[in-house]
Amino acid sequence: MGGENISPRLNRRALLGAALVAGAGAVSVGGFLFAENGIGPARLTARRVVDGLQAANGFVPGYRRNHAKGIAVAGRFDSTGAGAELSAASVFRPGTYPLSGRFSLAGGKPFATDTAAARRGFGLRIALAAGEEWRLALLNIPVFTDASAQDFHDRTAAYAPDPSTGKPDPARVRDYVAAHPKTAAALEVIEQHPATASFATSTFHGLNAFECVDANGRRTPVRWRLEPETVDVTAASGDNQLFTSLARDIRRGPVRWKLIAVVGIRGTDPTDDPTVAWPADRRRIDLGTIVVTEIATETAANVRDVNFDPLVLPNGLAPSDDPVLQARSAAYAESYRRRAGETAVRQPLRAEELA
Ligand code: HEM
């Protein structure tokens, strides 16, 4: 995964190539099948997961099949150097590294109405020397709702709006949660951490575990957290209230988050299940500060053609044994492959209009 630093255009082509190669045969990674089998019992594939997102959200060509509503940002990561204790990654040497990013609302509707409680995401691409990159995609919830790609897929279907009401069917949701105790437990934890009313005051969580690898090959499990430094935000209202408030905050001055590595204890803290929180007293390493300085409409020149694939990692970072990571990577590539070949019918959210 390391060593991938390609322009958006090349990146798009490389991913299309990867999708085509995957299409040539069925490859199972982490129990998740990359391509259709054609025979035997129905197995979950990236294609079926993305079909499920389209069925639940409606199909809008040209946009991400999840986190469709979003805006581009740019800034830098000021690294403290403290991460070097755990990982040989160049990003943990003291210094400043440029980043591009994308704030988004969860869900596949590019023109959804913002609400103060909306679940939201932050994708980051940190550019490193020698062609390396570190990509992350985080959410403002403390644990993930699903322990596997199958659960993600089934929950997407269970929560899909009922055509007659435009809202999820409460009985179907209740039955789903009752049959998925891990999701039920995660939802309880999530309820105890209500969303803040703005992007700038949101804590973002990497949720899936990763491995830090040092120069001697010693591995340490970690989870990432972005903790906001902003306390005072500019209130906004209307259909784009979250994005308007973000635009006003960034135009007023840089918006910052501390990037923290929460250090897991091997054998005690689960690395393969993002629905389970690690104990609150785990050691935390202050890796540095994410500083967001610019905001712009998504275009080909910034993050429209970026896939915030969580498996694009520099040397010194590695995936954990969490099968959700492999599933995400395959589903993001499938979503990317589809949208790269489409023309959007409407302009995305326009930064210029968020005044
Ligand atoms: C099996 C579980 C998951 C599936 C199938 C899934 C699927 C997707 C898909 C299809 C996209 C659109 C990708 C694109 O077109 O570029 C997406 C975007 C995103 N996902 Fe996930 N996701 C999963 C879990 C997660 C988790 C655990 C997190 C956070 C830790 C997360 C955070 C995000 C974010 C922030 C974006 C938006 C990135 C951007 O702005 O491009 N997802 N997801």
Side-chain angles (χ1 to χ4, degrees), residues 49-50 53 63-67 102-104 120-123 137-139 144 146 148-149 152 205-208 274 303 306-308 324 327-328 331-333 335-336 339:
V49 168
V50 174
L53 284 165
Y63 292 92
R64 285 161 168 82
R65 287 348 191 223
N66 199 5
H67 291 260
R102 183 172 178 273
F103 286 98
S104 59
R120 60 203 78 143
F122 187 9
L138 307 95
L139 296 174
F144 195 49
D146 314 300
S148 65
F152 177 94
H205 304 259
L207 302 177
N208 303 113
V303 294
V306 175
N307 167 358
F308 290 96
V324 169
R328 287 177 67 188
Y332 291 21
S335 171
Y336 187 97
R339 63 189 173 85

Side-chain angles (χ1 to χ4, degrees), residues 4 102 107 119 127 182 196 212 214 232 245 247 281-282 290 301:
E4 184 183 335
R102 183 172 178 273
R119 193 170 293 178
K182 280 177 181 282
T196 65
C212 281
D214 75 8
D232 154 38
S245 140
D281 63 357
R282 287 296 176 257
I290 298 288

Side-chain angles (χ1 to χ4, degrees), residues 134-350:
W134 183 19
R135 296 191 199 178
L136 306 96
L138 307 95
L139 296 174
N140 71 328
I141 47 175
V143 287
F144 195 49
T145 39
D146 314 300
S148 65
Q150 186 70 55
D151 283 4
F152 177 94
H153 181 60
D154 294 346
R155 184 181 53 79
T156 300
Y159 279 71
D162 183 325
S164 60
T165 62
K167 296 201 163 82
D169 173 353
R172 203 170 51 188
V173 167
R174 213 171 33 242
D175 289 351
Y176 179 84
V177 174
H180 293 81
K182 280 177 181 282
T183 301
L187 290 174
E188 272 184 30
V189 177
I190 292 168
E191 271 165 29
Q192 290 157 21
H193 295 80
T196 65
S198 78
F199 281 107
T201 54
S202 298
T203 299
F204 290 96
H205 304 259
L207 302 177
N208 303 113
F210 289 84
E211 298 279 338
C212 281
V213 187
D214 75 8
N216 300 316
R218 188 182 58 114
R219 296 167 77 95
T220 311
V222 292
R223 281 178 172 174
W224 315 122
R225 272 169 77 99
L226 281 181
E227 296 186 349
E229 291 200 342
T230 308
V231 279
D232 154 38
V233 293
T234 328
S237 56
D239 288 354
N240 300 317
Q241 63 178 65
L242 290 174
F243 289 96
T244 304
S245 140
L246 177 71
R248 290 179 184 166
D249 290 336
I250 295 172
R251 286 176 191 140
R252 199 174 55 173
V255 179
R256 296 183 166 85
W257 283 262
K258 276 258 166 276
L259 176 57
I260 308 285
V262 179
V263 182
I265 297 182
R266 177 102 49 213
T268 301
D269 300 336
T271 51
D272 60 351
D273 187 348
T275 66
V276 179
W278 287 355
D281 63 357
R282 287 296 176 257
R283 190 173 162 222
R284 297 152 48 93
I285 297 180
D286 172 2
L287 301 172
T289 309
I290 298 288
V291 187
V292 175
T293 53
E294 287 167 52
I295 184 161
T297 306
E298 275 188 79
T299 64
N302 51 51
V303 294
R304 190 197 71 189
D305 296 344
V306 175
N307 167 358
F308 290 96
D309 177 342
L311 294 188
V312 175
L313 299 166
N315 290 323
L317 295 179
S320 66
D321 55 351
D322 185 344
V324 169
L325 276 175
Q326 309 291 341
R328 287 177 67 188
S329 186
Y332 291 21
E334 175 64 16
S335 171
Y336 187 97
R337 189 185 63 75
R338 293 186 191 192
R339 63 189 173 85
E342 298 163 352
T343 306
V345 284
R346 261 173 76 179
Q347 290 258 27
L349 184 63
R350 290 170 63 78

